[in-house]
């Protein structure tokens, strides 16, 4: 089962992806096959989307490390 963020990541809908992330969409979710938002972005082949997804995941991981929060998927 895909999340909306997975769908738009694969579709290359960057503005929609940014809106979902701003509304705190789970960028670390996995689907029933174990695929992540990053996997969907790679499948979509949109370089700008892939770069954005990598960037937001990195920023979130850094933020979580600063506050000592564990990543829960």
């Amino acid at each position: 089962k895909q999340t909306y963020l997975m769908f738009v990541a694969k579709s290359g809908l960057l503005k929609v992806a940014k809106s979902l992330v701003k509304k705190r969409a789970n960028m670390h979710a996995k689907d029933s096959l174990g695929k992540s938002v990053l996997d969907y972005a790679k499948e979509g082949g949109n370089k700008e989307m892939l770069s954005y997804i990598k960037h937001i995941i990195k920023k979130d991981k850094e933020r979580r490390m600063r506050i000592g929060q564990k990543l829960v998927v």
Side-chain angles (χ1 to χ4, degrees):
K1 189 173 183 179
Q2 291 180 6
T3 65
Y4 289 120
L5 186 56
M6 290 172 181
F7 176 79
V8 299
K10 186 172 182 175
S11 301
L13 302 170
L14 189 57
K15 287 183 181 181
V16 179
K18 287 181 178 183
S19 177
L20 289 171
V21 168
K22 192 173 185 178
K23 294 180 188 292
R24 301 192 183 267
N26 184 354
M27 65 197 85
H28 302 288
K30 303 265 183 178
D31 70 6
S32 58
L33 299 175
K35 292 174 18 181
S36 67
V37 173
L38 185 59
D39 294 324
Y40 279 93
K42 288 176 184 176
E43 287 177 11
N46 181 310
K47 290 181 183 181
E48 192 175 4
M49 176 66 79
L50 185 56
S51 176
Y52 174 69
I53 296 297
K54 285 180 179 179
H55 172 74
I56 61 167
I57 289 172
K58 181 180 176 186
K59 274 183 61 176
D60 186 64
K61 285 182 180 178
E62 290 170 353
R63 181 189 63 83
R64 288 172 187 266
M65 286 179 65
R66 278 196 311 274
I67 63 173
Q69 184 180 18
K70 291 186 178 181
L71 178 63
V72 178
V73 178

